Amino acid sequence: MINYLINLFFPKVCDGCRAILLQNEIVFCTSCRHEMPLTQYHLDPKNQAVKKFYGKIDIQFASTFLYFNKKGMVQELIHNLKYKGHEEIGTVLGNWYAEDLKEIQLEIPFDAVIPVPLHPKKFKERGYNQVTTFGKALAEGLKIPYNDSVLYRKKYSKTQSKKNLLGRSENLENIFDAVLTEENQNKHFLIVDDVLTTGATLEACSRALLKIPGAKISIVCMAMANS
């Protein structure tokens, strides 16, 4: 009865279009789910996400789930996840994409999901890491560990969104580091992030993890910004 009254006076709305959700809908409505701009990059070994890292770092696989367009539905989803605390968005997207990545897991086995870390100061400001629920859902779907202690951020920096590629690379140099224990050696790490833009942050994370003997790197993001 209490839940009924709550839903009556404070109905749940779609994080994509703000329409009131039906009883069997979660996070976004059926219409938005059908209109999600899926990249299908996991089916193309030479996709645009992979090309972001050509000649920069050695990766085994890279993919993004959705296309990110300014003022589009995916931008609204990521904004609600990142700044409004709607962490359930990451869970739903992670559960959905894990079904696709199970096919890849058979060919390129991942050992652990690693989130791009926030600096402790940033984490305190926001209260959560926006990629946590996405990463945990992927890990659960792929039946591998989620590990947020292997990779860490050493330096606090403000948003990179308005910097050019050169500026980002300079700012991100030596900003991440990895825990070089024997336990982490010879592992294939699947790094997860929210939006792939220039790839500078993920390149820096990968370089840190590749300091671990025998490490291999793959990358998955919720979305990729159209250039």
Side-chain angles (χ1 to χ4, degrees), residues 21-32:
L21 293 176
L22 301 178
Q23 188 173 4
N24 62 334
E25 294 176 333
I26 302 173
V27 177
F28 34 77
C29 65
T30 301
S31 177
C32 281

Side-chain angles (χ1 to χ4, degrees), residues 187-202:
K187 296 288 181 65
H188 186 170
F189 299 115
L190 178 62
I191 309 174
V192 296
D193 202 4
D194 49 8
V195 181
L196 173 58
T197 51
T198 66
T201 297
L202 287 159

Side-chain angles (χ1 to χ4, degrees), residues 122-139:
K122 176 68 74 174
F123 186 90
K124 186 176 181 180
E125 291 172 356
R126 186 172 295 162
Y128 62 97
N129 185 335
Q130 71 272 13
V131 301
T132 294
T133 52
F134 178 70
K136 286 184 174 180
L138 282 180

Side-chain angles (χ1 to χ4, degrees), residues 154-204:
K154 298 188 294 183
K155 300 177 182 178
Y156 175 83
S157 62
K158 295 184 178 181
T159 180
Q160 302 287 312
S161 59
K162 295 183 180 179
K163 296 182 181 294
N164 59 31
L165 178 57
L166 179 59
R168 291 185 187 200
S169 299
E170 290 173 344
N171 284 344
L172 290 169
E173 186 177 358
N174 299 320
I175 208 169
F176 298 100
D177 212 343
V179 178
L180 307 179
T181 62
E182 186 176 348
E183 181 183 3
N184 294 329
Q185 294 180 13
N186 302 307
K187 296 288 181 65
H188 186 170
F189 299 115
L190 178 62
I191 309 174
V192 296
D193 202 4
D194 49 8
V195 181
L196 173 58
T197 51
T198 66
T201 297
L202 287 159
E203 181 184 345

Side-chain angles (χ1 to χ4, degrees), residues 14-18 32 35-37 66-80 89 195 223-226:
C14 173
D15 273 292
C17 68
R18 311 308 295 169
C32 281
E35 293 176 7
M36 286 288 180
L66 304 165
Y67 288 112
F68 181 102
N69 294 299
K70 289 186 176 180
K71 298 183 180 179
M73 175 171 49
V74 175
Q75 182 183 38
E76 183 72 12
L77 289 174
I78 299 298
H79 179 82
N80 289 338
I89 293 172
V195 181
M224 178 170 178
N226 280 336

